Amino acid sequence: MRSVRAFWRWLTSMRTALVLLLVLAIAAVPGSIFPQRAVSREAVEKYIDEHPDLAPLLDRLWAFDVYASPWFSAVYLLLFISLVGCLVPRLRQHLANLVKPPPDAPARLERLPHSTTREVGQGPTEAAQTIRLALRRSQWRTALRSHADGTVTVAAEKGYLKETGNLLFHFALLSLLVGLAWGAWYGWHGNRLVVAGEEFCNTLQQYDEYSLGARTSGDRLPPFCVTLHDFQAEFLDTGQPARYVADVSYVEDLGEAPRSWTLQVNHPLRLSGANVYLIGHGYAPVLRYTDQYGQVFTTTVPFLPVDGMLTSEGVAKFPYANVPPGQTSTDPPAQLGLTGVYQPTANPEPGVPASIFPAERDPVLTLTAWQGDLGLGSGAPQSVYALDQRQIALGRLTQVGTETLRPGESWTLPDGSTVEFLGTRPWITVSVRHDPGQGLMLFGAGAVLVGLMVSLSGKRRRVWARIRPADDGGSLITLGGLARTEYPGFADEFARVVAQVGGASPPEREPAGVSNAGVRERGASARPGVDEAKD
Amino acid sequence: MAELSDTLLLVAAVIYVAAMLGYLVEFAFGTRGAVARVAMRPARELVAVGAPAGGGAFGVDIVSPVQPDRPERGGEATPGPGRTGVAGAIGVALTAVGLAVHVAVLVTRGMAAGRVPWGNMYEFVVTLTAVFALGWLVLLATRPSLRPLGVFVTGAQALLLGFAGLVLTTPAAPLMPALQSVWLKIHVSAAAAASGLLLLAFVPAALYLIRTGYDARSGPAADESAGDEAPAPTAVRFPYSLGRALPAADSLERLAFRLHAFAFPIWTLAIICGAIWAESAWGRYWGWDPKETWSFISWVAYAAYLHARATPSVKRTTATWFAVAAWLTMLINLYVINFVAVGLHSYAGLD
């Protein structure tokens, strides 16, 4: 039991919190060194391929999933537990302070960083009331106490907002954690590629890749369908993209008339229950293949860009081609696969298949034909963007020729079949996302900022006055001030308080005619005395 | 217009170098002058009864003397007359001229590109340094005794601008689609302002560490030498020897804290705006992209500094090391991450 308590005390101490903050900062670093699955799966696969020895060990240490790793979670959860353990008592203390009057004056006011003495003509009680009133007028919280020895003290405090801001900031940080968790549990997202003219609806089957929150099931996704009508990209002469515009239409309820929307990078389509974001784009060559039996296959194949000038690569597969009419297959198969490199603006230098401009100024498609068994029947999953290299290695798929085509051109293969390059259609990739924690995150972030500014600009300070009866019926006032936080302006503020008290500094042991200097008297004359009294 | 902007950048950098020379003359040879006398005056630590440690002991602020009525600006606290004082004043004047040219760089750049000049790393660094110089001049206007810091400010300035002009420079061009958003104006300007101010805060933080190192090495005798008797410069080695002409440790430390406290919310705002923007551009408000990761690291590091400073049991020098480390993370985010992300997308060079 004692060890539990000791652990709790250790966890909620400021030093521990500091160490945890440092550890959190350091723990976040590996995520920027190693590729992360959450950012790019492909980059992780590539890294694992390139570092076959190191990668398994790194993977076991969650190096590719740093921000979802148990050790990273442990750090921030410990930090937040420490935060709660620290905040709750502070909140209680602060609420108590808001109710309680400011504490009474310390015994020796003259030892405070700011102090001075004044003589006024009023008696202690009246003088105290006057001081209290003046302080209240300047928004100080005050308490007046009469003591048995005839002295009266006025205690005043200001700057409670600082702690309020501080607590707001830290509780808002907690709300961010809640918002994050909420989004992770009840959010989902899917990515897919849409070729112009295509429609997709919001079901998991329609996504190339998706991820569901822990508390989300895929069968309750909001129903909507989105159609891509056209996509236009504009580029500067340097090839730098200048504008992407996707014309889409969408239906949220079946039977509803489609509404149109201009989807752009900073202009997502916000539907109830999900948002659609424009993420990427590219070209999809349209190919028509007429096999040796006269069957026609037309396919639109999205090619993936490999560089900034949109040199793109892809594969077209025709598994049902070259089957004689009336049969379902041949042995050996004579299926056709086409691998291609597409250049929207061909490089004038022959043999360099790298586009020199991302728009279609001189489009050229270089195709390589492969015939044989594509290996699709084996049941093993295959990429739609590559041919099965094993089939090539085994000699089941052989290269039959290479040709460069411009739109409208056709190419006759050795077996008499023809490949026709009809042109291209643009495609886009969209990310469809729902994050129900977002609203809370935004609200929490706003509160973090407000709390931070209030906390860092607030100044907690106290002023006390001890009023003793003087021999002549007036009062001798000792004033003391203390800024509890960094506040260089406090000297001035204290001087203003003293000026409001008025009176005069008592001459050394010489009660001269100062009693006529009433409390009401104000003036800058009181100011220089402040610092002299302090040293 | 774009060429004019590039030329002006060169001019601004040269003016800052000239300003640095002015400050340097005063810094190196003016140690017997008024600057040094003000700077050397020992801190009078007042023990506040009942005050929590870390609370203000206000008698110690030499940078802004306690007596508000004291004619600080024209009086003895102002770096004094004499040839070296003139050099320092020339340094200040040149900094102002440099800043004017610097602002002109941004204006002409914006006109050339037809947009706000915050579209790429080059423009970001030029904006950041303008905020840095502006902040410095504002600071100097309220606290003339900070002038010895000018060497370091203009030195850093010339270095950053020179690097920007030689390495980072890119032709003025319209924005990429991802940057075409109203958030560019808010997010990037906030990030540049915060970075410039955090750089400005880094200067007194680092110099505070030098000054405390100097104080510790030059021994207690240094505190007595309020007059003309400075300790032998050979007694303390570089970099702590620089501390001789610097303002008192305390005032540097407090200045560093106040600048950090001012800049940190702006940095927070920049991150929040970045997240809002990321949501509308990329579909998620936070994705642990390297840039995001490092701004998070910097945020946590500065938060650690502010907490360390508010903790009485943590020494001020320790807390200030946090601030210095935090600035290092800002530099990594700005220079290392940008180059790694642009040039080596495949994380090469790590095996």
Side-chain angles (χ1 to χ4, degrees):
Chain A
M1 193 60 211
R2 201 196 294 160
S3 64
V4 171
R5 202 169 278 180
F7 174 74
W8 182 248
R9 207 174 306 129
W10 170 81
L11 186 62
T12 55
S13 78
M14 190 58 145
R15 279 183 163 251
T16 307
L18 267 179
V19 170
L20 285 172
L21 271 175
L22 277 189
V23 173
L24 181 65
I26 294 164
V29 174
S32 70
I33 296 173
F34 302 111
Q36 297 296 298
R37 287 205 174 88
V39 177
S40 165
R41 249 171 236 273
E42 298 77 34
V44 175
E45 297 305 324
K46 190 165 173 246
Y47 186 91
I48 291 174
D49 284 348
E50 285 168 4
H51 305 82
D53 300 327
L54 193 60
L57 176 67
L58 287 173
D59 206 7
R60 216 168 304 143
L61 297 171
W62 291 275
F64 307 121
D65 303 282
V66 165
Y67 308 106
S69 69
W71 50 268
F72 189 77
S73 312
V75 175
Y76 72 76
L77 287 177
L78 273 179
L79 189 62
F80 274 103
I81 292 169
S82 161
L83 183 62
V84 171
C86 183
L87 278 189
V88 171
R90 276 186 84 152
L91 179 67
R92 212 180 291 143
Q93 180 72 46
H94 185 54
L95 291 176
N97 281 345
L98 286 176
V99 180
K100 267 194 312 200
D104 202 358
R108 304 192 58 188
L109 285 180
E110 63 278 7
R111 293 189 64 181
L112 291 177
H114 300 263
S115 67
T116 186
T117 47
R118 282 288 179 277
E119 271 187 346
V120 294
Q122 291 175 309
T125 317
E126 297 154 70
Q129 287 293 357
T130 318
I131 292 170
R132 187 186 195 185
L133 207 69
L135 286 167
R136 272 194 177 168
R137 227 178 282 131
S138 326
Q139 316 295 319
W140 291 79
R141 276 167 56 99
T142 57
L144 195 145
R145 293 180 179 86
S146 298
H147 295 270
D149 60 355
T151 63
V152 183
T153 55
V154 178
E157 183 159 4
K158 209 172 173 176
Y160 291 82
L161 213 53
K162 184 182 181 64
E163 180 69 358
T164 309
N166 186 22
L167 290 168
L168 174 67
F169 168 73
H170 287 98
F171 277 108
L173 284 181
L174 284 177
S175 81
L176 291 187
L177 188 67
V178 173
L180 197 72
W182 193 262
W185 281 346
Y186 296 101
W188 54 268
H189 77 93
N191 296 334
R192 72 159 285 158
L193 188 149
V194 196
V195 179
E198 246 180 9
E199 180 194 52
F200 75 94
C201 293
N202 187 30
T203 58
L204 291 185
Q205 293 79 4
Q206 300 247 335
Y207 292 113
D208 303 330
E209 175 189 60
Y210 64 84
S211 114
L212 293 174
R215 306 271 171 99
T216 318
S217 76
D219 48 354
R220 288 237 205 103
L221 301 187
F224 60 80
C225 296
V226 177
T227 310
L228 175 67
H229 298 290
D230 194 15
F231 175 79
Q232 279 155 358
E234 290 166 21
F235 302 91
L236 305 176
D237 287 337
T238 56
Q240 181 194 310
R243 217 161 96 93
Y244 298 139
V245 183
D247 290 320
V248 299
S249 65
Y250 62 97
V251 184
E252 282 196 83
D253 288 305
L254 296 172
E256 190 190 18
R259 274 178 278 181
S260 54
W261 182 262
T262 312
L263 188 64
Q264 286 177 289
V265 177
N266 278 297
H267 193 233
L269 169 61
R270 297 193 187 274
L271 302 170
S272 59
N275 300 320
V276 182
Y277 304 89
L278 174 62
I279 300 295
H281 73 106
Y283 297 105
V286 184
L287 299 172
R288 183 156 66 199
Y289 179 56
T290 310
D291 73 6
Q292 46 186 303
Y293 302 104
Q295 293 183 88
V296 178
F297 304 87
T298 306
T299 181
T300 306
V301 240
F303 274 33
L304 300 183
V306 293
D307 62 26
M309 292 302 176
L310 295 183
T311 308
S312 309
E313 292 176 358
V315 166
K317 295 177 185 177
F318 300 92
Y320 306 110
N322 298 316
V323 177
Q327 292 183 28
T328 53
S329 63
T330 58
D331 194 33
Q335 300 167 347
L336 183 79
L338 297 167
T339 57
V341 176
Y342 180 65
Q343 302 173 62
T345 303
N347 197 320
E349 222 174 298
V352 185
S355 171
I356 55 167
F357 194 74
E360 294 177 310
R361 289 180 176 172
D362 179 20
V364 159
L365 179 65
T366 307
L367 289 175
T368 302
W370 304 76
Q371 216 153 9
D373 185 356
L374 292 170
L376 291 167
S378 69
Q382 244 192 46
S383 167
V384 293
Y385 300 109
L387 288 179
D388 190 340
Q389 293 302 309
R390 275 171 311 170
Q391 298 297 98
I392 295 173
L394 291 170
R396 292 180 190 157
L397 200 54
T398 50
Q399 190 179 329
V400 292
T402 293
E403 185 63 89
T404 295
L405 300 171
R406 284 167 203 279
E409 291 181 349
S410 65
W411 170 32
T412 306
L413 297 182
D415 66 354
S417 60
T418 54
V419 175
E420 215 179 330
F421 174 32
L422 299 177
T424 64
R425 276 154 71 188
W427 56 259
I428 61 170
T429 42
V430 292
S431 182
V432 181
R433 273 184 186 262
H434 174 58
D435 186 341
Q438 234 163 247
L440 183 58
M441 291 302 277
L442 186 61
F443 177 79
V448 160
L449 192 62
V450 171
L452 192 60
M453 289 194 297
V454 171
S455 164
L456 285 174
S457 63
K459 290 134 195 137
R460 190 92 182 261
R461 65 267 198 202
R462 286 176 178 166
V463 166
W464 290 280
R466 174 170 286 118
I467 304 113
R468 292 190 189 82
D471 300 336
D472 57 359
S475 313
L476 188 68
I477 305 173
T478 313
L479 288 149
L482 173 68
R484 304 179 68 194
T485 47
E486 200 67 43
Y487 180 21
F490 186 63
D492 288 347
E493 187 177 24
F494 185 72
R496 278 196 300 277
V497 170
V498 174
Q500 280 180 324
V501 170
S505 357
E508 299 287 324
R509 295 275 142 224
E510 264 185 55
V514 283
S515 55
N516 59 341
V519 177
R520 289 279 152 220
E521 182 191 313
R522 298 181 187 204
S525 62
R527 293 181 97 197
V530 179
D531 298 295
E532 287 161 18
K534 189 188 59 203
D535 278 354
Chain B
M1 200 58 98
E3 278 169 28
L4 175 65
S5 180
D6 294 348
T7 312
L8 287 176
L9 183 84
L10 193 70
V11 174
V14 168
I15 295 174
Y16 284 130
V17 171
M20 181 182 74
L21 292 177
Y23 291 119
L24 188 63
V25 166
E26 185 181 42
F27 187 83
F29 305 114
T31 45
R32 308 275 161 156
V35 181
R37 240 180 288 126
V38 174
M40 292 298 302
R41 207 160 49 192
R44 291 160 294 156
E45 190 73 53
L46 289 177
V47 180
V49 181
F58 287 100
V60 289
D61 198 345
I62 289 161
V63 167
S64 55
V66 186
Q67 286 103 325
D69 292 338
R70 204 165 88 184
E72 186 200 339
R73 264 161 232 190
E76 58 156 30
T78 309
R83 251 171 278 166
T84 56
V86 170
I90 289 174
V92 177
L94 283 175
T95 314
V97 175
L99 177 61
V101 178
H102 195 157
V103 170
V105 173
L106 285 168
V107 171
T108 49
R109 178 82 180 182
M111 287 161 73
R115 56 173 171 77
V116 289
W118 300 325
N120 50 47
M121 186 183 177
Y122 165 79
E123 292 165 11
F124 184 81
V125 172
V126 175
T127 309
L128 175 170
T129 44
V131 173
F132 178 47
L134 180 66
W136 163 244
L137 288 175
V138 169
L139 206 59
L140 201 60
T142 51
R143 298 153 189 227
S145 58
L146 285 177
R147 210 158 81 189
L149 272 57
V151 191
F152 304 96
V153 171
T154 44
Q157 185 76 329
L159 213 64
L160 289 172
L161 275 188
F163 187 76
L166 293 174
V167 180
L168 306 177
T169 183
T170 39
L175 294 169
M176 294 167 32
L179 294 178
Q180 291 165 10
S181 165
V182 64
W183 289 105
L184 173 83
K185 296 186 184 106
I186 306 166
H187 166 66
V188 182
S189 62
S195 304
L197 290 168
L198 288 170
L199 170 59
L200 186 63
F202 166 75
V203 173
L207 294 180
Y208 162 71
L209 293 174
I210 288 176
R211 174 73 209 208
T212 47
Y214 171 80
D215 289 346
R217 281 161 183 77
S218 60
D223 288 348
E224 308 302 322
S225 61
D228 285 356
E229 238 11 83
T234 47
V236 183
R237 267 194 235 145
F238 185 81
Y240 298 107
S241 54
L242 293 173
R244 196 160 61 103
L246 291 174
D250 278 44
S251 60
L252 285 174
E253 199 278 336
R254 238 168 310 117
L255 176 67
F257 169 71
R258 293 185 63 206
L259 287 171
H260 279 108
F262 182 70
F264 185 64
I266 304 177
W267 182 242
T268 310
L269 175 74
I271 294 178
I272 292 172
C273 292
I276 296 172
W277 188 8
E279 191 278 330
S280 77
W282 302 324
R284 82 290 184 288
Y285 57 81
W286 195 267
W288 296 109
D289 145 279
K291 198 100 218 172
E292 292 172 346
T293 303
W294 278 88
S295 51
F296 169 78
I297 292 171
S298 297
W299 193 86
V300 171
Y302 278 114
Y305 162 65
L306 293 176
H307 281 88
R309 194 181 182 281
T311 309
S313 63
V314 177
K315 277 193 292 186
R316 285 287 155 91
T317 42
T318 313
T320 306
W321 276 111
F322 278 69
V324 170
W327 175 250
L328 198 68
T329 67
M330 294 290 288
L331 280 182
I332 290 173
N333 198 3
L334 185 53
Y335 289 98
V336 181
I337 296 299
N338 276 7
F339 285 112
V340 170
V342 169
L344 305 160
H345 231 280
S346 51
Y347 302 89
L350 284 164
D351 28 352

